[in-house]
């Protein structure tokens, strides 16, 4: 079954976006991101977004078979992901992530890009870049810091700790963990969609501006260089191979 993004516009202005890539536990690739990007184009009839994965899995991250070194033009392999999640984060309609099963890597960031996260009892979060030899995007790091604080964000990113639903709720990564997660997520979307669109989008924009701490152009350029070096390193190649071969990586610092 080919990876796809199912888009369903429901009554009341709720758009449901379902990531479907069952053979990869809903891992993202550039084609899926392109479909998500298109579905996130603002539309007057869309007043709330529900983001979820197919088959009881939220999203297993970025498909590592599509992730390699930087391009000759300086393009980083996760540039499409960074741009798409920024579009979701800044969408005028509020968004709810329904997290069932794993939210790993880019799946973690996909959930964090939404305004609210409702988790099932089997939900868990995991950020593995330290085990893959890559430097995660500053945008994704900043989202995690805003949600759980600097110290806890460091724990998640630097140790690749698996965070189960109960702890994610206590840390503030999940907003709710009800018995009927899907029903609650849809009800929250309906409540959000019932608000005055201009008031909701205006306040969402204001909250976004209040939360941002802008990097200087020099900072952005430096971090992009650091990330490019990591993506092109021997350790990144080893990290991808180890993950796909289901073994412990053997890093050498190069």
């Amino acid at each position: 079954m080919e990876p796809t993004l199912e888009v369903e516009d429901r009554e009341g202005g709720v758009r449901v976006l379902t990531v479907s890539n069952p053979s990869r536990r809903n891992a993202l690739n550039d084609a899926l991101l392109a479909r998500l990007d298109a579905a996130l184009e603002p539309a007057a009839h869309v007043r709330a977004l529900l983001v979820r994965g197919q088959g009881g899995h939220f999203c297993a991250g970025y498909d590592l078979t599509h992730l390699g070194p930087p391009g000759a033009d300086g393009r980083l392999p996760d540039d499409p992901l960074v741009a798409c999640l920024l579009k979701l984060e800044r969408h005028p309609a509020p968004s709810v992530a329904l997290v069932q099963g794993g939210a790993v890597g880019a799946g973690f960031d996909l959930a964090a890009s939404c305004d609210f996260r409702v988790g099932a009892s089997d939900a868990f979060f995991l950020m593995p870049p330290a085990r893959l030899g890559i430097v995660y995007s500053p945008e994704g790091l900043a989202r995690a810091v805003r949600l759980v604080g600097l110290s806890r964000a460091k724990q998640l990113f630097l140790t690749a700790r698996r965070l189960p639903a109960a702890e994610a709720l206590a840390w503030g990564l999940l907003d709710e963990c009800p018995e009927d997660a899907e029903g609650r997520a849809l009800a929250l979307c309906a409540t959000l969609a019932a608000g005055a669109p201009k008031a909701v989008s205006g306040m969402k924009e204001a909250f976004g501006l209040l939360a941002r701490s802008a990097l200087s152009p020099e900072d952005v350029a430096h971090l992009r260089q650091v990330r490019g070096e990591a993506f092109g390193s021997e350790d990144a190649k080893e990290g991808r191979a180890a993950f796909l071969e289901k073994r412990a990586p053997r890093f050498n610092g190069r």
Side-chain angles (χ1 to χ4, degrees), residues 193-243:
K198 287 185 181 294
V200 171
S201 64
M203 287 187 286
K204 180 178 172 180
E205 183 178 8
F207 278 125
L209 291 171
L210 289 167
R212 285 174 209 150
S213 178
L215 297 172
S216 70
E218 293 78 15
D219 291 336
V220 172
H222 172 68
L223 288 173
R224 191 167 181 84
Q225 180 182 351
V226 168
R227 298 184 66 231
E229 290 172 357
F231 272 117
S233 68
E234 292 180 17
D235 278 352
K237 185 177 180 180
E238 165 63 13
R240 290 192 298 273
F243 181 89

Side-chain angles (χ1 to χ4, degrees), residues 47-74:
R47 298 188 176 186
L49 300 165
L50 178 68
V51 180
R52 66 183 183 184
Q54 185 69 263
H57 302 288
F58 184 68
C59 175
Y62 201 93
D63 190 336
L64 296 186
T65 62
H66 292 255
L67 199 61
D73 58 357

